[in-house]
Amino acid sequence: DPDMPFVPSMPEDQFILVEEGDPTVIPCRTSDPDAQVTLVNSLDKSVNALYDTKQGFIGNFPAGSYTCKTMVKGMEFKSDEFLIYIMRATSQLPVEIEALKTVYKTGETIVVTCVVFDNEVVNLQWNYPGKVKEKGLIKLDDIKVPSQKLVYTLTIPEASVKDTGDYECTAGHATKEVKENKKVVITVHDKGFVHLEPQFSPLEAVNLHEVKNFVVDVQ
């Protein structure tokens, strides 16, 4: 089709996610298999890469914007713009789980954090006693400086005794069959179980060089 030398691309094909170091395809295909196609970057500079008429340009491309060009009867045509995003993903999946404390009283807010290091795209699932009732609130912070880490925070407001149990996060690698599981045990008590009875006043005076004992009964 001389009026449309580039096969129209789907919107989802214009955003290309690729793992660091992996080759990828910029899928600008022509309706004429003999067309001469050039790949240019956002600075309109030509990029050397292998061209396959059935796939597009194949190679290891830096992150950024790319466009294909071709000439038909002396007229220049441009393809849609393709955006390449390089994601960091290691073959290992370092994960840590952390709870500020593991013993709570009824009514307090439980906070558990799961951190995934050196990977930008993972599938993370939480398992915890209140999951069936969707009691937890989940927040994600994507931190890139000084190093890459995904911080998933699970918050359980107004905890009850029923929230006692295993809190587990399972991280799955975006492209590889790698999973990592970490858990922490949380206990929620109906009420406080420590009673303190100080045997002194809120304000005490002591003379210079005087030795004075402060006694507290603990039950």
Side-chain angles (χ1 to χ4, degrees):
D1 182 354
D3 295 324
M4 189 172 284
F6 286 107
V7 178
S9 57
M10 302 291 286
E12 56 266 28
D13 293 336
Q14 294 170 238
F15 295 90
I16 303 166
L17 277 176
V18 58
E19 279 187 34
E20 202 171 40
D22 282 359
T24 190
V25 175
I26 297 175
C28 55
R29 297 174 294 126
T30 55
S31 57
D32 177 5
D34 297 323
Q36 297 298 307
V37 186
T38 305
L39 179 66
V40 296
N41 59 20
S42 57
L43 301 175
D44 207 33
K45 289 187 176 179
S46 181
V47 177
N48 288 325
L50 173 68
Y51 185 69
D52 183 316
T53 56
K54 294 179 180 180
Q55 295 184 68
F57 283 99
I58 304 167
N60 289 78
F61 304 105
S65 166
Y66 295 86
T67 309
C68 302
K69 292 181 178 181
T70 190
M71 298 289 290
V72 178
K73 295 179 181 178
M75 285 186 62
E76 184 181 78
F77 287 85
K78 289 184 178 181
S79 71
D80 293 320
E81 182 183 37
F82 296 92
L83 295 170
I84 291 183
Y85 178 78
I86 306 294
M87 66 178 185
R88 183 166 173 76
T90 58
S91 56
Q92 301 299 315
L93 202 57
V95 178
E96 287 183 7
I97 195 167
E98 186 179 82
L100 294 176
K101 57 182 186 175
T102 56
V103 178
Y104 291 84
K105 286 194 301 182
T106 295
E108 290 187 320
T109 299
I110 297 172
V111 179
V112 182
T113 300
C114 195
V115 184
V116 182
F117 298 91
D118 299 326
N119 285 267
E120 286 186 275
V121 183
V122 298
N123 299 313
L124 190 126
Q125 299 289 328
W126 284 99
N127 276 309
Y128 56 97
K131 185 175 181 179
V132 176
K133 295 183 178 178
E134 297 183 349
K135 192 173 180 181
L137 306 171
I138 299 169
K139 186 183 77 165
L140 168 62
D141 291 307
D142 187 354
I143 299 170
K144 299 189 183 299
V145 178
S147 60
Q148 171 65 45
K149 59 182 178 181
L150 297 172
V151 182
Y152 296 84
T153 304
L154 173 67
T155 304
I156 312 288
E158 296 291 327
S160 70
V161 175
K162 292 181 179 178
D163 293 308
T164 294
D166 292 345
Y167 284 71
E168 203 170 44
C169 70
T170 303
H173 201 286
T175 57
K176 300 178 178 66
E177 292 296 319
V178 179
K179 283 191 174 182
E180 189 67 35
N181 178 277
K182 290 291 172 73
K183 78 172 182 178
V184 63
V185 179
I186 300 287
T187 305
V188 182
H189 292 279
D190 188 35
K191 57 184 179 181
F193 51 87
V194 176
H195 177 70
L196 299 179
E197 195 173 319
Q199 305 296 315
F200 50 86
S201 304
L203 181 64
E204 292 278 351
V206 181
N207 293 322
L208 186 64
H209 304 306
E210 179 188 357
V211 176
K212 195 165 187 177
N213 290 324
F214 296 89
V215 179
V216 180
D217 286 336
V218 182
Q219 297 178 6

